[in-house]
């Protein structure tokens, strides 16, 4: 459990080494390097490599990080709940059906204003569904999932590098706003390998650092202060409304400060694709092909799904003639695109369901079908 | 230059590992790479495939593709599925072992290799994929052999480095098949 061993690990490892690994493996490496205190999870395809990699790296011998395979997803999220309540940097990961099981715990964690990281590497649903890539948990991640008026920060990586980078970003934001953060990935970016530069090692926080950063934490040391109580229960409705108003004030601050998105060729775009995660990359290739045939199409990739980058979408929507939202679902993010664009231009949807990945050519065909006037040779 | 490759065959033939060694060799050669597998029950039999993209043009966009510059197809099912998706002027490499309907296209270059036959003379049948990789790089010089050597050291865990030599031998045998 000593922190000097983390320093040794930091000295021993090359910090800028470029490696080839899966997105799931990158999550595990990044968590150890961030100085995470604990991972609690239960295996499920297509994200089992997160737990497997952590077990293989046995960080309990170096940084002191706890890695525990719990007996279920319910146990995992409640271990995260407990760890987070003590101000520790804790996380879990799962895939769609497992995240459904965790939603009760997520609601409690959000209600207690606790920071943690939850990784969802989505697979095709509903139900047990398939093990293949999907984005059908967008609503669950961004609109709730559990009960009550709560939100948490949702980041959508599209590369293995972002899988690594968003671990630290998620923890930073989670502690800044005292809220859970989710990395909402899909089976593509979880399973594919790319080159990645892993973040540098940082030591785990000391108890003193935790006490300073998390004065609310239940650290079992109340001798010099009033005991901290962490509970979501408040039977006085007037007090519960105050709590809710505080949560909502936090959400408005997050919406104001943390919208993130990436634009590709939107400056001269006459038509726009909005897509997130690995699907945005498939769309990027479709756009390159379409531009080769004279069609001025751009891409806007939301990086934060909550808060949704409504300012960026509204800005680009105000100067294009039509929008196509491409998702691995039956039409979820399209609702936020319609709201952000205020439906000032037609907003269409193209989706594949149940674990099927569209090829770039399918998206090109859809662009031609919906926006024939964008293709000079066709009109 | 960007090279878009599909490798497909039976689960257990080492298709995914071959793709990983190729991708790692690309990385060692300073290229951007993506390795996108078909994952799941395939590894317990049935067909498995992996898309590998190697590029010196910067970050790679889509890891999934409609068409390929090179297809390495190691059984009949894979030939049936992917022959039509080789770009005109592209390369199709297939192992004739167990194939009853050879490729028909005339607008691509087709190479028939006898990698499975060659495996029978090797000390380990598990090096089949390295013979195929040797043949692929013998036909199309995508990455230097030295990068494959370095990739093997990365991909094979150090506790199994006694297997490096047999893999290198198989790789050279594959190059000889098409040499």
């Amino acid at each position: 459990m000593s922190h000097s061993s983390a320093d040794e690990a930091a000295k021993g490892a090359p910090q800028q080494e470029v490696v080839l690994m899966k997105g799931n493996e990158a999550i595990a490496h990044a968590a150890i390097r961030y100085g995470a205190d604990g991972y609690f999870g239960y295996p499920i395809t297509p994200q089992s490599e997160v737990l497997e990699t952590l077990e293989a790296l046995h960080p309990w011998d170096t940084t002191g990080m706890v890695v525990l395979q719990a007996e279920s997803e319910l146990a995992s999220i409640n271990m995260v709940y407990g760890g987070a309540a003590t101000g520790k940097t804790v996380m879990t990961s799962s895939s769609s059906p497992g995240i459904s099981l965790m939603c009760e715990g997520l609601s409690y964690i959000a209600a207690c204003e606790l920071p943690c990281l939850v990784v969802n590497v989505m697979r095709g649903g509903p139900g047990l569904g398939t093990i293949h890539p999907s984005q059908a948990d967008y609503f669950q991640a961004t609109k709730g999932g559990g009960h009550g008026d709560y939100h948490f920060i949702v980041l959508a990586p599209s590369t293995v590098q972002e899988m690594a980078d968003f671990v630290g970003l998620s923890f930073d934001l989670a502690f800044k706003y005292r809220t859970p953060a989710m990395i909402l990935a899909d089976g593509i970016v979880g399973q594919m390998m790319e080159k990645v530069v892993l973040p540098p090692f940082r030591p785990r926080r000391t108890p003193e650092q935790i006490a300073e950063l998390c004065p609310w934490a239940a650290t079992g040391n109340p001798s010099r202060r009033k005991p901290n109580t962490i509970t979501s229960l408040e039977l006085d409705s007037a007090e519960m409304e105050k709590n809710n108003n505080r949560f909502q004030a936090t959400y408005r601050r997050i919406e104001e400060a943390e919208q993130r998105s990436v634009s590709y060729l939107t400056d001269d775009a006459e038509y726009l694709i909005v897509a997130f995660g690995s699907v945005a990359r498939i769309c990027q290739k479709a756009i390159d092909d379409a531009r080769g045939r004279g069609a001025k199409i751009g891409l806007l990739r939301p990086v934060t799904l909550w808060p949704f980058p409504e300012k960026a979408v509204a800005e680009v929507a105000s100067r294009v003639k039509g929008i196509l939202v491409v998702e691995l679902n039956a039409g979820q993010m399209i609702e936020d695109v319609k709201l952000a664009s205020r439906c000032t231009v037609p907003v269409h949807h193209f989706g594949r369901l149940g674990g099927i990945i569209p090829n770039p050519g399918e998206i090109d065909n859809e662009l031609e079908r919906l926006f024939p006037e964008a293709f000079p040779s066709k009109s | 230059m960007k090279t878009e490759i599909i490798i497909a065959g039976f689960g257990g033939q080492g298709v995914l590992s071959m793709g990983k060694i190729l991708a790692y060799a690309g990385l060692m050669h300073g290229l951007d790479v993506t390795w996108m597998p078909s994952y799941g029950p395939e590894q317990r039999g049935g067909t498995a495939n992996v898309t590998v993209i190697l590029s010196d043009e910067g970050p790679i966009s889509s890891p999934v593709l409609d068409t390929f510059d090179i297809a390495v197809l190691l059984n009949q099912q894979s030939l049936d599925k992917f022959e039509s998706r080789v770009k005109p002027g592209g390369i199709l490499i297939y192992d004739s072992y167990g194939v009853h309907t050879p490729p028909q296209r005339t607008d691509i270059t087709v190479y028939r290799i006898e990698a499975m036959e060659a495996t029978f003379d090797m000390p380990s049948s598990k090096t089949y994929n390295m013979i195929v990789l040797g043949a692929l790089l013998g036909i199309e010089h995508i990455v230097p052999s030295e990068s494959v050597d370095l990739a093997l050291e990365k991909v094979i865990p150090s506790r199994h480095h006694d297997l490096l030599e047999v893999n290198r031998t198989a790789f050279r045998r594959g190059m000889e098949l098409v040499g």
Side-chain angles (χ1 to χ4, degrees), chain B residues 24-25 28-29 145-155 168:
Chain B
Y24 231 122
M28 294 288 139
H29 194 49
S145 306
E146 301 77 55
S147 298
V148 175
D149 260 358
L150 293 170
L152 276 171
E153 288 173 25
K154 292 277 186 187
V155 173
R168 287 177 178 141

Side-chain angles (χ1 to χ4, degrees), chain A residues 17-20 22 45-46 131-133 187-188 191-195 281-282 284-285 357-362, chain B residues 2 4 20 23-24 27 30-37 39-42 60-66 85 154:
Chain A
E17 194 193 357
V18 180
V19 289
L20 182 77
K22 290 186 176 189
T45 306
I131 60 172
H132 291 117
I188 300 174
Q191 289 294 326
M192 72 183 293
M193 284 200 277
E194 291 187 285
K195 73 177 186 185
R281 298 174 59 172
I282 303 173
Q284 192 180 330
K285 187 171 179 77
I357 311 168
N359 288 334
E362 282 180 74
Chain B
K2 186 156 78 175
E4 301 175 328
K20 185 174 178 182
Y24 231 122
L27 184 80
L31 303 176
D32 273 292
V33 300
T34 63
W35 174 96
M36 177 67 204
Y39 62 86
E42 293 92 339
I60 294 162
S61 59
S62 179
V64 297
L65 302 166
D66 297 277
R85 291 173 62 181
K154 292 277 186 187

Side-chain angles (χ1 to χ4, degrees), chain A residues 173-187:
Chain A
L173 292 172
F175 275 89
K176 180 175 180 185
Y177 294 102
R178 287 184 59 184
T179 170
M182 176 178 277
I183 293 178
L184 190 69
D186 57 65

